[in-house]
Amino acid sequence: MQQGFYAEAQTTKEPRGVPNRALTIGAHPDDAEFGAGGTLAAWASAGCEVTMLVVTDGSKGSWDSAATRDQLIRQRVSEQQLAARHLGANEPIMLGHVDGELEYSMALRSELCLWIRRIRPDVVLTHDPWQRYQLHPDHRAAGQAALDAIYAAREWYIFPEQLVGDVEPWRVKEVYLFWTGEPDYWEDITCCMEARISALTRHASQVGLRMDNLAERVYERSREAGEKAGFEYAEGFKRVQF
């Protein structure tokens, strides 16, 4: 009998080195920057190849009733591209699912599995789908699909039609769940606070009205997280090893 995937998973607080490749899977443009932007910038500056995958098109993320859907999609794609550059990441992957209407499905699991097999990340960073009172359905769906895709990606007989050419099963070593209610691991981001804030400010459609106090709030929350781990500034995660 095959041992269960989650039975193999272990949480740990031991520090890790910089991974060779990291992949973020976020429901919307800006999710990964808010959840793990400092960590991504720190890893990228140390030589990690960072790729950011965004599941939805961001087409509902605006308070401007005059903006058309197509205009907002173009703006948010551009913002995501700029933010990725400020973090030192690769050109982002935009899957284009409709914002606010993301549903967990086998098709979504398969789509994310294929990207994991293509990119071959050591670490995946994504939403904690079990965050208590997580009310955004896109966040829950993206996080759950990402975790299930990580399991599928390592198996020869799950989505075998994907295994063509140089695409092979891939085993992710660790998952960092951001926006978790139960962080048990913290990354020191003291080196990269300015890069984190710079990336966030690229998302003008989301933070435009809050730009004046954005840096202050980011510094405050990062300082609070750092106090839990003995760093000046930090980001907290639920970290799972396989």
Side-chain angles (χ1 to χ4, degrees):
M1 183 176 182
Q2 186 180 26
Q3 188 178 13
F5 177 64
Y6 292 108
E8 298 175 7
Q10 300 179 10
T11 59
T12 178
K13 297 181 182 180
E14 293 299 317
R16 65 153 299 134
V18 175
N20 291 322
R21 288 185 300 274
L23 170 66
T24 67
I25 298 177
H28 311 100
D30 82 8
D31 284 349
E33 289 88 326
F34 274 107
T39 298
L40 299 176
W43 286 355
S45 68
C48 176
E49 182 179 346
V50 174
T51 302
M52 306 177 75
L53 183 150
V54 180
V55 180
T56 75
D57 58 13
S59 59
K60 306 294 173 59
S62 176
W63 297 103
D64 182 3
S65 60
T68 68
R69 180 174 182 271
D70 289 343
Q71 288 173 339
L72 186 56
I73 290 173
R74 287 194 297 271
Q75 179 178 0
R76 299 206 70 186
V77 168
S78 176
E79 290 172 349
Q80 185 61 66
Q81 291 169 336
L82 290 171
R85 292 170 197 160
H86 278 262
L87 294 176
N90 293 331
E91 187 75 4
I93 298 165
M94 313 293 291
L95 298 188
H97 292 268
V98 179
D99 188 359
E101 301 178 21
L102 188 66
E103 294 183 341
Y104 181 93
S105 67
M106 192 63 70
L108 179 59
R109 187 195 304 186
S110 174
E111 187 174 17
L112 296 180
C113 173
L114 179 56
W115 280 110
I116 291 170
R117 286 170 167 173
R118 287 172 173 169
I119 296 169
R120 302 178 181 178
D122 301 302
V123 179
V124 171
L125 306 92
T126 192
H127 303 268
D128 183 349
W130 302 293
Q131 181 190 6
R132 195 175 186 186
Y133 306 124
Q134 170 54 264
L135 299 182
H136 201 311
D138 287 357
H139 294 171
R140 295 196 304 269
Q144 190 64 65
L147 290 171
D148 290 351
I150 289 168
Y151 165 69
R154 71 180 195 167
E155 300 293 330
W156 282 97
Y157 299 110
I158 299 181
F159 309 128
E161 69 280 359
Q162 297 177 353
L163 305 178
V164 177
D166 62 354
V167 177
E168 295 183 350
W170 180 256
R171 183 181 290 265
V172 173
K173 297 180 177 67
E174 295 180 290
V175 175
Y176 282 31
L177 299 177
F178 53 76
W179 295 344
T180 181
E182 300 179 359
D184 59 6
Y185 183 79
W186 289 263
E187 281 283 339
D188 183 358
I189 62 170
T190 306
C191 67
C192 298
M193 287 297 296
E194 288 303 314
R196 184 186 187 198
I197 293 168
S198 180
L200 286 170
T201 59
R202 300 312 101 189
H203 294 282
S205 64
Q206 308 306 297
V207 301
L209 298 177
R210 300 173 291 163
M211 197 77 78
D212 290 345
N213 65 351
L214 175 65
E216 180 182 346
R217 290 186 294 107
V218 171
Y219 270 104
E220 180 181 357
R221 293 175 184 177
S222 300
R223 188 180 301 111
E224 291 173 354
E227 290 174 354
K228 300 176 182 178
F231 302 131
E232 186 175 1
Y233 299 105
E235 287 171 334
F237 304 92
K238 185 70 173 180
R239 179 185 173 199
V240 182
Q241 290 182 308
F242 305 114

